[in-house]
Amino acid sequence: MRVTSASVTVAAVDRVVAVEDPVLRNLQITVAYGRMAADFSRLVDRSNLSWCGFGTWASEGVGGAIRHHQTDQSLVLRLMRAVRRCGYPEIARKAAAAFAEGNLSVFDHIGRAFAGFHEALTSPQAGAVDRFVAGLPRAEAPSAGTSVDLTVSPEVGLADGFGAYVQAGDMATDTAEGRARRAQLVFYGNLSLAYLEQARLQAPIEAAFTSVLGGCLAGRRAARQVAARLVTETMLELQLGDEELRPGRPLPDLDGRRFPAELLDLDPELFERFAAVLTPSDAHHARDADDWTSLRDRLRYTGAMMRSRQQAAGLFGRAPFSDEERELIDAGTVPTRLAAKDPG
């Protein structure tokens, strides 16, 4: 049956963006990503997760930091709180504010684009999808003043990601070649949007990671590098469905396979601009991230994770919250389990 409307509209994105409470706003962003992931499955491809399918879990992970739940979950953070009892609450608040800023920025940019894409796909007007893609940015450089250690050529824009999704949706899948091409186009779209996401998050991530330093040390590059490496290796965790991934360690294989068969040997022409961050198909393992404040490290790990889990059956239709919790979040109420804690 044809889907006649998008679950999350551009107007709905506007309403979420306008929410002032960072905890409630993050929860509504996470719920919206989950619904947009379901829309993508219904409208484009049921076999490959979109960027939103991963963004749902990434947003909830960020939410743990915004709500100060990670302090109780991390031994290192608990030790830091014990050692720096007076200064720790301010450190936690600065990190939470930085994560909330990044969460909002990405949703306002990429989440808004997904809502517009799904509205175009369900529009009765001829040519709505082509007009939507034509109106997207063709290239987006990292924000002025942002320090990044990765550049891609040509530059990536939203049009790259959503243009690939359109091609994927148009691919016939009655042959193995067609299914493989569709999977690679979805991954290319995911990777393009991941690059834009991570470039946009560069400043908030640097601010969050260096919040563990005092005002004097925060201005020293060597101290920032040590702090970033320490946080990456000891504290950073990513929840993805039932998995807990540690970016400071090599990405584990899934069901005995590094990547799905359709994503093992990537089209070198399609992925040429991302060659510097792609895991070779014959590598012994997908590399870990040494420094999460490095755009190159983040995109290399994130890209391998999305490529490895793009067809993971356990992630389709999964969400971090119960139906009852989603109803409360929709109504503008923070569920008790998800309420912010005192970082002190």
Side-chain angles (χ1 to χ4, degrees), residues 4 31 102 146 162 205 215:
T4 58
V31 169
T146 302
F162 288 96
I205 286 176

Side-chain angles (χ1 to χ4, degrees), residues 186-201:
V186 171
F187 177 52
Y188 181 80
N190 290 346
L191 191 57
S192 296
L193 298 183
Y195 170 80
L196 295 174
E197 168 201 20
Q198 295 303 327
R200 185 165 283 251
L201 289 175

